[in-house]
Amino acid sequence: MIKTLTKNLVWYRDKLVRHVVQNGPFFAQRLIVKIVAKPHIAKYRGVNNRGPDIFETVFFELRTRCNSHCAFCAGSVENEIRPDQHMPFAVFKKGIDNLKEVAFRGRVAFHITSEPLLSQDLPAYIAYAREQLPKVWLQLLTNGRKLNPSSGTAVLDAGINEITVNYYNDACAANPDLPLPQNIQKFESEVLAKRFTHDEITTGHGPDPVKGFGVFRYNCNRRRENEILSNQTGSSPNKGMVTTKNFLGFCHSPLTDFHITTDGTVSKCSKDVFFTDPMGNIMDEDIMEIWNGSRFRTVHKMLLANDRNANVMCRGCDYPGFKTIHGKKDILKRLLQHSIYGRKME
C-alpha cells in the first residue's frame, strides 16, 4: 500500500510540475526555474559575477552543409539558407594556435549544425589540433551517413578521441531490432572491433575518470528525423518562436561553449544557427579577447542573473539551458525539460 501511495504521489507531483511549466502563472514557472538554476549559477558565476574565465568546449564548423533531412534543424538539406562555405585552414590554425597559447585543456569538436565528414580535409584539421593540443579531448559528432571504414580510419589515425553517431531514421528509432546501415556496421566490425580491445573502447563522453585518454569513446544513437526539440531561437522549422515573456533564465551554452563558423565568426551558442548575433571574429581578435569582450560578458551577466529577456534571441529561445541530468536528484530539471520538449530528455 505504501508503495502504491508513493507511486501516486510521484505521479501527481510530476503532473503538477508539467502543468505549471506548460500552463501555469508566470511567477510559478519562474519559481521552478529559479530552484533548478541556482546550483548552476553558483558554479559558473566566477569572480565578480563575470562568468567563467574560460570556456569548456570550442566548436569548429568546417563546412556550412549537412546531408541529413532532420525536420527540427535549420541546417538540414531542405532548410539551410547559407552558401556552401569551407573553413580555410588559416582560420582553423588561428583558432587552434590561440587555444595553445592559453593552454586550453577542454574539448574541441568539429560540428555545430553541419556534418563534419562532408569536409574532405577533416583528417588534416584533426591532426593539427592533435599535434598542437595533446591534452585536449577531440570529439567528432556525425549523422553517420558518410562514416565507413575508410573515413573512420582516417579520423582515428588523425587522433580523434571520440566518435558519436546520431543516426536519424524514424524506422530505426522506433524499432531497435532493425539493423543499422551497412556503412556503419562495417565501420564497427572492420575498424573498431579490430583496432580496440574491450577495455580500450567504451560509451560516454570525455576522458575516463580513471584511464583518462586511455580509452576511445564510441556512441551510436538512433534518433528520429521528425523530433521536436528546441526552437533554436526561432529558426527550427518545426517549432515556433517563444512569443510571450520567457520564464526561462539561466543557460549554460554561452557560459561553456565557443562556436566558430567557416569565416572565423563567433556566435554565443549553437542555437544561433546562422550566426546572426556575432560576438566577434577570430581573424580580427584573439579568442580570449572575444571571450572577455563586452558582447560575451553582457550575455554572461544576463544569464547569471537568471534572465533571458535583455537579448532578443535568448528571449525567444525555449532551450531549457541545462547540460546534464543526474538521475532522480534532478527531478525538477528532468520535468522542466520534459514539459518544454513534450517528451523525456535523457
Side-chain angles (χ1 to χ4, degrees):
M1 177 162 179
I2 294 177
K3 186 176 181 179
T4 302
L5 178 60
T6 302
K7 185 177 181 180
N8 289 338
L9 288 173
V10 169
W11 185 85
Y12 280 111
R13 178 203 62 192
D14 294 358
K15 186 176 182 179
L16 175 62
V17 172
R18 292 190 185 107
H19 174 75
V20 170
V21 171
Q22 294 173 337
N23 305 299
F26 185 78
F27 80 89
Q29 295 171 330
R30 286 291 295 164
L31 177 61
I32 292 174
V33 170
K34 184 176 181 180
I35 294 171
V36 174
K38 186 176 180 180
H40 299 273
I41 292 173
K43 177 180 179 180
Y44 292 110
R45 191 180 300 279
V47 179
N48 297 324
N49 294 327
R50 293 183 68 251
D53 292 332
I54 196 168
F55 33 80
E56 298 173 1
T57 304
V58 179
F59 296 85
F60 288 93
E61 184 173 52
L62 301 184
R63 184 178 177 184
T64 57
R65 278 296 174 271
C66 186
N67 56 352
S68 195
H69 302 269
C70 302
F72 56 83
C73 184
S76 62
V77 173
E78 293 82 2
N79 298 302
E80 177 64 75
I81 61 174
R82 296 175 295 173
D84 185 2
Q85 296 178 328
H86 299 252
M87 179 178 285
F89 187 77
V91 176
F92 182 76
K93 182 178 184 300
K94 171 73 185 303
I96 295 297
D97 291 349
N98 277 179
L99 296 177
K100 182 179 180 180
E101 290 168 3
V102 297
F104 180 63
R105 297 184 64 170
R107 173 176 58 138
V108 165
F110 299 88
H111 68 277
I112 299 181
T113 56
S114 55
E115 170 52 50
L117 287 175
L118 290 178
S119 300
Q120 294 183 349
D121 295 331
L122 175 63
Y125 286 69
I126 294 173
Y128 186 76
R130 177 79 295 148
E131 176 187 358
Q132 300 300 315
L133 303 170
K135 296 181 179 180
V136 163
W137 187 262
L138 301 182
Q139 180 199 48
L140 178 69
L141 190 147
T142 172
N143 60 38
R145 291 171 179 260
K146 297 284 286 185
L147 182 63
N148 53 51
S150 177
S151 63
T153 297
V155 297
L156 287 170
D157 288 344
I160 206 74
N161 298 110
E162 173 190 330
I163 296 177
T164 291
V165 179
N166 282 330
Y167 178 58
Y168 294 98
N169 180 283
D170 292 351
C172 277
N175 184 359
D177 294 328
L178 288 178
L180 292 167
Q182 283 291 313
N183 61 302
I184 296 178
Q185 290 188 54
K186 287 184 176 181
F187 169 67
E188 293 176 347
S189 62
E190 297 178 13
V191 179
L192 293 182
K194 295 179 180 179
R195 190 173 185 123
F196 301 105
T197 67
H198 177 75
D199 292 334
E200 293 172 335
I201 187 169
T202 185
T203 57
H205 307 283
D208 183 83
V210 176
K211 298 179 180 179
F213 281 55
V215 297
F216 178 78
R217 301 278 195 182
Y218 178 71
N219 310 281
C220 190
N221 309 306
R222 297 169 182 241
R223 302 276 299 274
R224 293 185 296 113
E225 282 190 329
N226 62 351
E227 290 178 348
I228 298 177
L229 302 174
S230 160
N231 65 10
Q232 294 180 331
T233 70
S235 66
S236 178
N238 68 355
K239 195 173 188 183
M241 191 81 160
V242 173
T243 55
T244 57
K245 189 175 181 181
N246 199 339
F247 68 85
L248 294 169
F250 170 86
C251 180
H252 77 85
S253 187
L255 293 156
T256 61
D257 302 340
F258 196 93
H259 297 84
I260 308 171
T261 193
T262 52
D263 66 352
T265 300
V266 176
S267 73
K268 61 181 174 298
C269 76
S270 64
K271 310 307 176 189
D272 184 3
V273 176
F274 302 128
F275 288 72
T276 54
D277 185 21
M279 300 291 103
N281 189 300
I282 66 169
M283 301 308 288
D284 301 325
E285 302 174 272
D286 287 344
I287 282 179
M288 293 310 299
E289 290 177 323
I290 297 173
W291 181 251
N292 291 313
S294 60
R295 292 181 181 180
F296 249 126
R297 289 308 182 187
T298 297
V299 174
H300 291 171
K301 183 178 180 180
M302 175 189 71
L303 296 175
L304 289 169
N306 204 22
D307 185 21
R308 297 188 183 183
N309 290 289
N311 180 280
V312 173
M313 298 192 79
C314 296
R315 182 168 65 243
C317 184
D318 69 350
Y319 174 58
F322 306 105
K323 184 181 294 188
T324 55
I325 296 176
H326 300 289
K328 294 181 179 179
K329 69 178 182 179
D330 272 354
I331 185 63
L332 273 180
K333 190 193 302 183
R334 184 182 299 276
L335 291 172
L336 179 63
Q337 293 204 10
H338 189 182
S339 302
I340 292 171
Y341 287 135
R343 65 177 182 85
K344 292 182 180 179
M345 298 296 296
E346 303 297 337

